[in-house]
Amino acid sequence: MVSQLELNILEILNEDARTSEKRIAAMTGAPVEEVQKAISRLEEEKIIVSYPAMINWDAVDVNQVEALIEVRVSPQRGEGFDAIAEQIYRFDEVSSVYLMSGAYDLMVLMHGRSLKELSLFVTEKLSTLEHVISTATHFVLKRYKDNGVILEGRQGDHRLVVSP
Amino acid sequence: MNYEEVLSGRISAVPPSGIRKFFDIASQMKDAISLGVGEPDFNTPWDYNDAAIYSLRQGHTHYTSNWGLIELREAISEYLKVRFSIAYDPNREIMVTVGASEGIDIALRALVEPGDEVIVPDPAYVSYMPGIIFAGGTCVPVPTFAQDDFRMTAENLKKAITPRTKALIFPYPNNPTGAVMRREHMEEIAQVLRGTNIIVIADEIYAELTYGGARHVSFASIPGMWERTITLNGFSKAFAMTGWRMGYACAPRELLAVMCKIHQYTIMCAPTPGQYAATEAIRIGLDNDFADVLHMVRTYDRRRRLVVSACREMGLDCFEPNGAFYAFPSIRKTGMTSQEFCTAFLKAEKVATVPGDAFGDGGRGHIRISYAAATDKLIEAMKRMERFVSGL
């Protein structure tokens, strides 16, 4: 359970992780020390895990390919899916691993510099892991919305400048 | 043709809106940050839009009942019960209107006869006074003051009541001040009204937007007040649906029947797609305990604190606004009038705010800052305001 203050802090940092403690204090009406204490607790409890910037790599002139790979595995006795998941998430190329309900077991998100690099990873490393039954690789062609943020398209403030 | 001879003198005598005047100035300014907006910066949640689009696909493009879709009225009835503990029968005690604005107009026209007086707190939303005059009545402003947190006091209300008093417009949480009336303050107002025939037009469009713990109390929920209250509300502020123009009026059936007579002859019914969108808004809210609304309220609350503390840090008196999405600081210290301040601030720093006296004489010496704006814009605007004020 998080307190009302902590919930406010999480929403503020989720919107802008660079918001200063002083500003958070102004926005929540809590003293700065209390804000600092709350943030420390949220970090210790691993509720706030890290503070990355959200970057639209598509707009940067670097080669970056993202793929979403459906992986079917046979769970291991006593370990379930955890052991095989760990074997997969240890790779640096892998950015996310989720256990899924439905037609496949693990969803693996990965980044690489080229299609070739990712393909090689899938065929040589992922598919050959013991307990992996099959994989299906989907390459990301275009990103429209990421983590609640619309990356392009019609946006902006369309309200009248002054209204009653 | 001399149009002055043909136009209604009563209507022509209504002064032009101070907001309109300021809009003309502000809209000339390119790239200004606007804190002059009286509507949410949130977009309508797409689920509501989708419900309207689906209704169009289904071919629901005909008139609805004058009162509005029964499923919407039932949803409103449930909503008011759950959120504000007031009971209205979806049959004959709830009518869907074109925004709460239509509710104000038809409530006044249903009640007011020439010479009747209608009491309005000052400052208040810009439509009340003209609405009263359009209906043939006389507007009696009751001043409210920063030292009372801009609440209407029983004492000042009493002074304004005459044998011609027909109605009291009771708009809390208040635009432009952000003032709220707590239950105990409403009790005092109710005490003045008991035993009179005065009808209360409770414009509660900002009812969902209150801060600091206490929820809005509907005037109709005060003992003995239901029978004399017309509750006006709508979807614009709580559900970010301003452009849909979806409002509703709730009242004892004898009162609402007369309002419906005006509505049926002048409007027929509120637009049908909007009624479907509004029904969906309440349905989703009842399903998820109004999570969307609560999220908006938390966001507004943080911006509110940001703006109020920034105003105070720059040395301006700013009472704690506990409702709506406006701060109403005093700029008297600067020696400027509200109009001078807002115009000079806009020209120097490209930030639009609204002069307090656009909302009545009681707003003199204040400006209305709307914090329905993105946080980074607010922070930048407050930085510029600090620079502007300290440079005076």
Side-chain angles (χ1 to χ4, degrees):
Chain A
M1 270 304 275
V2 295
S3 68
Q4 199 63 27
L5 171 64
E6 288 169 335
L7 178 61
N8 268 303
I9 292 173
L10 291 175
E11 288 185 346
I12 292 167
L13 293 177
N14 191 43
E15 197 181 323
D16 181 0
R18 295 185 308 170
T19 312
S20 69
E21 287 160 345
K22 185 166 166 263
R23 179 155 292 150
I24 294 175
M27 291 170 94
T28 56
V32 177
E33 305 77 56
E34 210 175 303
V35 170
Q36 285 166 340
K37 230 167 43 191
I39 292 176
S40 301
R41 195 191 83 86
L42 291 166
E43 288 169 350
E44 277 160 28
E45 301 273 324
K46 293 270 180 225
I47 292 172
I48 297 176
V49 184
S50 72
Y51 297 88
M54 218 192 101
I55 296 163
N56 180 7
W57 285 107
D58 291 355
V60 184
D61 196 18
V62 294
N63 290 325
Q64 166 97 350
V65 183
E66 193 179 0
L68 190 157
I69 304 154
E70 299 171 0
V71 185
R72 286 179 60 226
V73 300
S74 44
Q76 292 159 268
R77 182 164 187 162
E79 302 269 6
F81 293 96
D82 296 350
I84 181 73
E86 186 179 345
Q87 284 187 56
I88 295 172
Y89 68 61
R90 284 187 179 283
F91 288 106
D92 287 339
E93 299 93 320
V94 170
S95 54
S96 308
V97 178
Y98 308 121
L99 178 63
M100 309 295 290
S101 66
Y104 58 97
D105 304 305
L106 296 173
M107 170 143 91
V108 177
L109 254 70
M110 47 177 311
H111 295 271
R113 281 186 296 268
S114 65
L115 293 183
K116 195 174 159 198
E117 186 185 306
L118 290 188
S119 310
L120 274 178
F121 177 86
V122 173
T123 50
E124 292 187 358
K125 296 183 178 159
L126 198 56
S127 317
T128 55
L129 284 175
E130 201 184 354
H131 307 297
V132 167
I133 301 166
S134 69
T135 64
T137 305
H138 309 275
F139 289 103
V140 175
L141 301 181
K142 184 173 177 177
R143 225 177 304 264
Y144 293 97
K145 186 177 182 182
D146 240 352
N147 289 310
V149 180
I150 296 169
L151 299 175
E152 51 183 77
R154 284 163 299 152
Q155 283 186 82
D157 197 337
H158 301 297
R159 299 175 297 166
L160 296 175
V161 202
V162 175
S163 57
Chain B
M1 189 166 191
N2 183 358
Y3 292 107
E4 270 176 35
E5 280 173 14
V6 292
L7 288 168
S8 155
R10 194 175 75 205
I11 309 297
S12 301
V14 173
S17 159
I19 295 265
R20 180 76 223 174
K21 204 169 112 196
F22 208 70
F23 172 82
D24 292 339
I25 302 170
S27 53
Q28 300 298 316
M29 190 72 78
K30 284 249 156 46
D31 317 316
I33 297 179
S34 181
L35 307 184
V37 187
E39 62 173 316
D41 59 312
F42 295 98
N43 291 325
T44 307
W46 192 259
D47 290 300
Y48 316 167
N49 295 352
D50 186 59
I53 293 166
Y54 181 68
S55 79
L56 293 174
R57 288 216 182 101
Q58 299 284 99
H60 294 314
T61 56
H62 299 279
Y63 295 130
T64 68
S65 142
N66 295 136
W67 302 88
L69 286 172
I70 183 63
E71 49 267 52
L72 175 55
R73 282 180 279 139
E74 281 167 353
I76 291 167
S77 174
E78 180 69 11
Y79 167 78
L80 291 176
K81 192 169 75 191
V82 170
R83 300 293 287 172
F84 303 106
S85 312
I86 40 177
Y88 286 105
D89 184 344
N91 290 303
R92 302 293 175 262
E93 289 175 358
I94 296 174
M95 182 170 70
V96 181
T97 56
V98 180
S101 297
E102 188 209 337
I104 297 166
D105 176 45
I106 59 177
L108 288 167
R109 282 199 277 161
L111 295 169
V112 172
E113 293 190 81
D116 280 351
E117 294 172 358
V118 179
I119 297 173
V120 180
D122 177 15
Y125 181 57
V126 296
S127 293
Y128 304 133
M129 182 267 283
I132 294 163
I133 296 172
F134 295 161
T138 304
C139 179
V140 180
V142 169
T144 60
F145 303 98
Q147 64 261 31
D148 301 321
D149 289 346
F150 284 105
R151 287 189 299 263
M152 177 182 274
T153 64
E155 197 188 340
N156 287 335
L157 171 62
K158 236 185 270 175
K159 281 188 216 156
I161 292 175
T162 75
R164 296 306 309 260
T165 304
K166 179 59 78 67
L168 161 66
I169 295 184
F170 198 70
Y172 295 93
N174 185 268
N175 174 9
T177 62
V180 298
M181 297 279 291
R182 303 287 186 213
R183 183 180 296 279
E184 62 267 28
H185 307 125
M186 289 195 185
E187 283 286 359
E188 289 168 19
I189 299 293
Q191 202 45 45
V192 176
L193 298 175
R194 286 190 184 103
T196 71
N197 263 337
I198 297 170
I199 297 292
V200 177
I201 301 172
D203 182 350
E204 303 191 349
I205 190 74
Y206 290 99
E208 287 284 4
L209 307 183
T210 60
Y211 316 103
R215 300 245 317 126
H216 171 71
V217 174
S218 275
F219 194 74
S221 72
I222 303 292
M225 292 299 109
W226 189 91
E227 60 168 29
R228 67 169 71 241
T229 301
I230 298 170
T231 301
L232 303 179
N233 206 329
F235 293 83
S236 292
K237 317 292 171 169
F239 298 94
M241 291 179 66
T242 43
W244 290 94
R245 312 305 304 122
M246 294 303 301
Y248 49 92
C250 309
R253 59 194 63 202
E254 296 80 357
L255 284 174
L256 201 60
V258 180
M259 288 169 65
C260 187
K261 192 192 281 182
I262 306 172
H263 175 78
Q264 81 187 30
Y265 285 126
T266 55
I267 301 288
M268 186 78 98
C269 69
T272 305
Q275 295 194 49
Y276 281 97
T279 309
E280 182 71 355
I282 294 186
R283 194 195 61 73
I284 291 175
L286 290 170
D287 264 5
N288 68 9
D289 289 327
F290 296 91
D292 297 338
V293 178
L294 297 184
H295 171 74
M296 279 194 248
V297 170
R298 279 199 303 277
T299 308
Y300 285 137
D301 190 17
R302 296 194 290 259
R303 297 169 178 177
R304 174 184 78 99
R305 290 177 192 279
L306 201 68
V307 168
V308 171
S309 64
C311 287
R312 287 175 182 163
E313 270 166 36
M314 57 185 98
L316 301 178
D317 291 326
C318 184
F319 96 106
E320 186 80 26
N322 276 314
F325 38 61
Y326 310 106
F328 204 61
S330 163
I331 46 87
R332 287 214 179 84
K333 270 192 185 142
T334 64
M336 299 169 111
T337 66
S338 309
Q339 296 279 350
E340 287 164 354
F341 183 95
C342 290
T343 310
F345 182 34
L346 176 65
K347 286 195 174 138
E349 296 286 356
K350 292 189 165 192
V351 177
T353 53
V354 180
D357 53 8
F359 302 92
D361 289 345
R364 274 191 199 146
H366 291 262
I367 62 167
R368 188 191 75 173
I369 298 176
S370 163
Y371 50 81
T375 307
D376 52 342
K377 291 236 171 88
L378 276 178
I379 291 168
E380 175 60 25
M382 287 299 108
K383 211 184 287 173
R384 293 186 196 180
M385 188 162 152
E386 209 275 325
R387 190 163 62 199
F388 176 73
V389 170
S390 64
L392 289 174

